Amino acid sequence: MKPPVLRCSHVTKRYGNLTALEDLSLEVYEGEIFALLGPNGAGKSTLIHCITGLAKQTEGTIEVLGFDTLRDFRTTRRLVGLVPQEINYDPFFTPMEILMIQMGLMGVEPDRERVESLLRTFALDEKRDAYTRTLSGGMKRRLLVAKSLVHRPRLLFLDEPSAGVDVELRRELWQEVKDLRAAGTTIVLTTHYIEEAEQLADRIGIINKGELLLVEGRDSLLERHNGRPLEDIFVELIRRADGRYVT
Ligand code: ADP
Ligand code: MG
C-alpha cells in the first residue's frame, strides 16, 4: 500500500496557555477529498498552518509524502498548496504579476507559459494585466486558487474557501475542486457548509477544541447513522463532546 500523502502523528500546538491542537493524529491518502469540519476555534486553521509551514507544532510530527515539515521544510512547502480564507495578494499587482511573483516565492523556475495556462484555466485571461482590485469577486477568488497552484502542489488545502461566497460562486468553486482532484491533486478542505462537504468529500474528519472526534469515510458514516444528514450527525457529536444535552 502507498504511504499516506499526509501523516500527522500526535500533533499538539499550544499558544501560551491555550492548547489549539491536542495529540492529533491523522492520515490523508492520495487522490482523496478530505473534509475537516468543526466549529469556529476548533483548530482547523491551526492544523493547516502547521502542515503548510505558517506555524510550527509544539509537539508531534507532520510528514508530507514522507518528508518532515520541520526538518525538510523546503521540500514539503513545494509539495503543498494553500488557498487561504482571506485574499492575501496586493490589489495593485496584476494577476500576471501575482502568479509570476508567487512562483519565485515558491522557489520554482519562472515559467510564463505555466502562468498563461493558469490564467486561461481560471478565466482570468482578459484581466491578466489589470489591477486585481478591479476584478470581480469571482475572479479574485479564482486568482487565489490559481496562486495556490503555481508550483503544482500534490496536496492542496482550502481553508473555508466558500465563506461569504454566493451560491453560484460556491458551485463553481466545488467544480474546480472536483477538477483538481480528477487531475490527481489530493484535497483537504474546511467548510461550514456541511451539506457541501457531504456531497464532495470521500472522508470526513470532525474536530472540536483541538481534538479529532471522528475520522471516517463519508459513506460508512452516513450508513451508520441510517442516512441522516451529515449536519445532524455533526451537531450531535459536537454537543456530546461539549457535554451538552442531546434531544
Ligand atoms: P478554526 O480555524 O477551527 O476556527 P483556529 O485554528 O483558527 O480555529 O483557532 C484555534 C484556537 O487557537 C482558537 O482558540 C484561536 O483563538 C487560537 N489561535 C489561533 N491562532 C493563534 C495565534 N496566532 N495566537 C494565539 N492563539 C491563536
Ligand atoms: Mg479557521
Side-chain angles (χ1 to χ4, degrees):
M1 206 175 107
K2 280 189 191 169
V5 176
L6 173 68
R7 178 182 275 145
C8 301
S9 310
H10 303 289
V11 172
T12 293
K13 173 69 180 177
R14 289 189 206 94
Y15 291 110
N17 289 331
L18 181 112
T19 304
L21 296 172
E22 171 102 66
D23 194 32
L24 184 148
S25 295
L26 171 69
E27 292 184 349
V28 172
Y29 301 99
E30 179 142 33
E32 69 176 347
I33 298 180
F34 186 93
L36 185 63
L37 308 176
N40 281 329
K44 304 179 296 294
S45 295
T46 301
L47 180 63
I48 290 175
H49 292 166
C50 288
I51 301 164
T52 55
L54 297 176
K56 283 181 184 167
Q57 69 270 26
T58 316
E59 284 169 36
T61 57
I62 301 173
E63 286 173 0
V64 178
L65 288 158
F67 295 99
D68 186 285
T69 52
L70 298 182
R71 235 184 15 241
D72 312 309
F73 169 71
R74 280 169 184 281
T75 306
T76 60
R77 77 164 194 156
R78 284 201 201 181
L79 293 170
V80 301
L82 170 61
V83 181
Q85 184 177 339
E86 306 288 334
I87 289 188
N88 63 350
Y89 48 73
D90 191 312
F92 291 97
F93 282 106
T94 69
M96 187 73 184
E97 288 166 341
I98 285 165
L99 297 183
M100 289 302 286
I101 292 168
Q102 184 66 12
M103 281 193 158
L105 291 175
M106 295 311 297
V108 293
E109 282 291 307
D111 178 350
R112 218 180 159 85
E113 265 174 43
R114 166 86 182 140
V115 167
E116 306 258 5
S117 139
L118 280 168
L119 290 171
R120 280 193 301 273
T121 303
F122 289 95
L124 291 163
D125 241 9
E126 246 175 70
K127 292 281 189 176
R128 47 181 284 165
D129 298 319
Y131 285 150
T132 55
R133 64 188 171 85
T134 69
L135 267 52
S136 72
M139 287 174 161
K140 284 183 175 142
R141 208 193 32 70
R142 292 203 298 271
L143 180 57
L144 215 50
V145 178
K147 186 180 166 214
S148 75
L149 295 174
V150 292
H151 58 297
R152 302 176 197 274
R154 296 274 299 274
L155 174 59
L156 183 68
F157 293 87
L158 296 110
D159 194 2
E160 291 190 39
S162 56
V165 164
D166 70 31
V167 182
E168 201 183 339
L169 286 185
R170 255 192 298 153
R171 290 204 176 156
E172 185 187 297
L173 175 70
W174 298 135
Q175 187 56 51
E176 282 157 18
V177 167
K178 286 183 196 162
D179 292 348
L180 284 167
R181 192 261 287 273
T185 312
T186 306
I187 311 250
V188 175
L189 60 90
T190 73
T191 175
H192 283 293
Y193 298 94
I194 295 182
E195 342 71 83
E196 291 179 341
E198 177 173 341
Q199 287 172 30
L200 208 65
D202 304 303
R203 281 198 309 144
I204 311 273
I206 297 181
I207 184 173
N208 187 45
K209 297 181 176 159
E211 269 183 82
L212 261 184
L213 301 178
L214 170 147
V215 175
E216 192 170 345
R218 188 249 336 252
D219 294 345
S220 109
L221 179 62
L222 294 177
E223 205 175 292
R224 215 156 51 73
H225 289 84
N226 304 314
R228 283 169 63 207
L230 181 59
E231 193 166 293
D232 290 3
I233 303 170
F234 172 83
V235 169
E236 191 179 305
L237 201 67
I238 300 292
R239 285 204 182 136
R240 269 187 211 285
D242 288 346
R244 281 186 278 160
Y245 179 66
V246 180
T247 51

